Amino acid sequence: LFAGCGGGDDPLDPRLEEALGKLESTSDTERLAGLTTLSEMGDKPKPHADKVAAVLKDTSSEVRSLAALLLGIWKHSSTEVVQELSAMATGDKDADARASALIALSKVGANDEFAKVVKEILAGDDADLKSETLMTIGESTSKESVTAVKAELEVIADGSDKSLAADAKIALEMIEQ
C-alpha cells in the first residue's frame, strides 16, 4: 500500500512515539523525560498505559512515582497494575513512590485494594509509614477510598499518639466535606 492510503492504524504522533521510546532507555533521566512528556499530553497516551505500567518496577523512584501517578490519572485499573500499585504502596523503599502508588490506587477506583493496603499499613509497627499514609489520605485520595477505612481512622484519631491522631482527624475531615 502507498503511504497514507489505508491499511491499518494511524501512525503515532512523533512526540508520543519518542516519549514511549524513551521508556525503554537505560538512562533514568531519559525514562523520566519520556514520562514527563506523556504527562503533558493529556489522555492521548492513555492507550499506551501498559508501556507506562512496565516501568512501575523501575530502579528509579522518580520514574516509579510518576508512572504510578500517570496510571492513576488515566484510571488504568488492570488487575496487574492494581497488584503492582498495592505492592508499591506497602513495600517501596521510597516514601514518594509509596504515596504515589496509594494515590493512584484511589484514583483508579480500586477502593477495596486501597482499603486493604491502608489497613495493612495502619496495623503495622512503622509509625513513620503510618503518618505518611495518613497524610497522603488526607491530602489526595478520593472520598470513597477514605470512607472505606473510616473505622480504622476513627480508632487512630482517638488514640494516644497525638501526631497520628492529628493526621487521622485530617483524613476524616475529608469524608465530611
Side-chain angles (χ1 to χ4, degrees):
L1 292 172
F2 294 104
C5 294
D9 297 335
D10 291 333
L12 279 183
D13 171 324
R15 190 167 165 236
L16 176 60
E17 192 169 4
E18 180 183 350
L20 291 170
K22 286 182 178 183
L23 298 183
E24 297 174 19
S25 171
T26 56
S27 161
D28 294 358
T29 306
E30 282 293 302
R31 290 190 307 278
L32 193 57
L35 287 171
T36 301
T37 299
L38 294 175
S39 73
E40 296 165 351
M41 298 180 79
D43 281 345
K44 190 171 190 172
K46 191 175 178 179
H48 306 281
D50 286 338
K51 290 184 179 176
V52 172
V55 296
L56 286 174
K57 294 181 180 175
D58 200 273
T59 54
S60 162
S61 60
E62 289 179 277
V63 169
R64 291 191 307 275
S65 294
L66 185 51
L69 289 174
L70 276 174
L71 293 167
I73 290 165
W74 295 335
K75 300 195 181 330
H76 187 69
S77 60
S78 71
T79 303
E80 298 80 19
V81 166
V82 169
Q83 288 172 346
E84 189 58 38
L85 291 172
S86 296
M88 272 179 75
T90 56
D92 200 287
K93 60 189 177 292
D94 182 78
D96 290 337
R98 286 191 303 266
S100 296
L102 194 61
I103 292 165
L105 278 173
S106 175
K107 288 188 181 298
V108 302
N111 294 330
D112 291 345
E113 195 62 30
F114 174 90
K116 181 178 140 198
V117 166
V118 170
K119 288 174 185 180
E120 180 180 327
I121 292 169
L122 297 180
D125 296 326
D126 187 335
D128 290 339
L129 182 55
K130 286 181 189 181
S131 178
E132 165 196 309
T133 300
L134 291 170
M135 285 189 284
T136 300
I137 291 170
E139 293 169 1
S140 24
T141 54
S142 74
K143 185 174 181 177
E144 294 79 14
S145 296
V146 179
T147 301
V149 292
K150 183 177 180 185
E152 289 78 6
L153 294 174
E154 288 171 339
V155 168
I156 292 171
D158 293 335
S160 59
D161 185 321
K162 299 299 179 210
S163 176
L164 287 178
D167 292 336
K169 287 175 184 168
I170 291 169
L172 284 166
E173 286 173 10
M174 186 177 173
I175 297 172
E176 290 152 17
Q177 290 178 359

